[in-house]
């Protein structure tokens, strides 16, 4: 105790990822609600629409996962890319080859790109719940819902590794704000895709 203050119980400053989460909580919640109200697990046909949303979004972020600069900042980023799993899911459901999709994220500076990557990686955390819903349609991490699977080493551990690397990146305050802009743009992109594809 120092001057009557219990240091152990003093509030800890937020980490960068916690700040990003706080800044995007509202848009994440709106997106969750929008997706669930579109009944994506009501049937395999509805789920196929959800897959189209995910497929396009992961095609958008795939170039970021492949970027040499971002892999230098976040080693192993390329292996986290879920585009191939999505292509396989689309093929499982449709029974035919998935058309390659062009990414539409446009030119992003590094901090903004990191914001997009945060959203794509974080979405795998929430995917645990979505995988359970997909299982009710007979889909699994081996058929139709591969992209929702956790990492073999554990979904939580895989996320925590990402969080640790992300929090350790040297980033000025204004760059962190740009990352938050990138994250919000990524959420808006997915929201737009849901509106476009589910109608
Ligand atoms: C109906 C759809 C969705 C539901 C129900 C959902 C649910 C969740 C849940 C429960 C978590 C927290 C998991 C945990 O702390 O253990 C989470 C995290 C997250 N989700 Fe979603 N999610 C959905 C869709 C999405 C989509 C489409 C995206 C973006 C493309 C997304 C981005 C994120 C991010 C970035 C996080 C990490 C937040 C953080 O801890 O920093 N989610 N989601």
């Amino acid at each position: 105790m120092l001057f009557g203050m219990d240091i152990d119980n003093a509030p800890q400053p937020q980490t960068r990822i916690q700040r990003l989460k706080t800044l995007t909580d509202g848009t994440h919640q709106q997106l969750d609600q929008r997706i669930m109200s579109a009944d994506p697990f009501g049937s395999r046909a509805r789920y196929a629409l959800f897959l189209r949303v995910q497929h396009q979004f992961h095609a958008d972020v795939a170039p970021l996962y492949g970027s040499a600069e971002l892999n230098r900042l976040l080693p192993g980023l390329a292996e986290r890319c879920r585009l191939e799993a999505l292509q396989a899911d689309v093929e499982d459901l449709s029974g035919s080859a998935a058309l390659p999709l062009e990414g539409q994220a446009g030119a992003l500076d590094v901090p903004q790109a990191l914001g997009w990557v945060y959203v794509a990686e974080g979405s795998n955390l929430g995917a645990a719940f979505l995988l359970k819903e997909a299982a009710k349609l007979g889909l699994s991490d081996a058929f139709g819902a591969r992209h929702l699977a956790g990492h073999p080493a554990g979904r939580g551990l895989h996320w925590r590794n990402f969080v640790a690397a992300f929090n350790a990146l040297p980033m000025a305050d204004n760059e962190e704000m740009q990352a938050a802009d990138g994250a919000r743009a990524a959420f808006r992109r997915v929201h737009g895709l849901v509106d476009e594809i589910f109608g």
Side-chain angles (χ1 to χ4, degrees):
M1 297 272 271
L2 183 68
F3 303 116
M5 201 174 109
D6 185 343
I7 299 282
D8 285 344
N9 288 330
Q12 295 294 311
Q14 280 195 321
T15 64
R16 177 176 297 136
I17 287 280
Q18 285 167 341
R19 287 191 290 274
L20 270 183
K21 180 176 162 59
T22 305
L23 289 169
T24 55
D25 256 348
T27 173
H28 178 255
Q29 236 173 51
Q30 278 172 8
L31 179 62
D32 283 2
Q33 283 164 8
R34 176 70 182 91
I35 292 176
M36 293 319 284
S37 70
D39 195 22
F41 301 101
S43 65
R44 283 197 179 191
R46 299 298 291 171
Y47 178 77
L49 298 178
F50 174 67
L51 267 188
R52 278 179 55 199
V53 172
Q54 293 279 64
H55 191 193
Q56 182 59 61
F57 177 59
H58 286 271
D60 292 345
V61 291
L64 308 180
Y65 281 81
S67 140
E69 182 157 20
L70 294 183
N71 276 273
R72 191 177 53 74
L73 293 170
L74 298 170
L77 183 65
E79 287 97 80
R80 290 176 170 267
C81 184
R82 285 184 280 149
L83 184 58
E84 275 183 24
L86 267 157
Q87 275 158 349
D89 285 341
V90 170
E91 288 171 12
D92 290 340
L93 268 274
S94 68
S96 56
L99 293 178
L101 295 178
E102 287 277 318
Q104 307 285 337
L108 299 169
D109 56 30
V110 168
Q112 284 174 331
L114 288 168
W116 279 73
V117 168
Y118 157 73
V119 174
E121 281 305 299
S123 73
N124 189 235
L125 195 62
F129 164 78
L130 304 182
L131 185 58
K132 283 192 194 127
E133 292 297 303
K136 296 177 191 162
L137 296 171
L139 307 174
S140 70
D141 57 11
F143 184 87
R146 300 165 200 263
H147 80 284
L148 298 175
H151 189 270
R155 195 187 294 274
L157 177 66
H158 196 55
W159 168 246
R160 286 194 300 278
N161 288 339
F162 175 80
V163 168
F166 200 100
N167 282 335
L169 288 173
M171 232 192 246
D173 286 354
N174 68 318
E175 290 173 323
E176 196 174 299
M177 286 301 107
Q178 283 174 279
D181 284 345
R184 280 188 289 254
F187 273 115
R188 277 198 304 276
R189 168 67 172 155
V190 180
H191 211 126
L193 286 168
V194 173
D195 285 347
E196 183 188 316
I197 291 170
F198 281 96

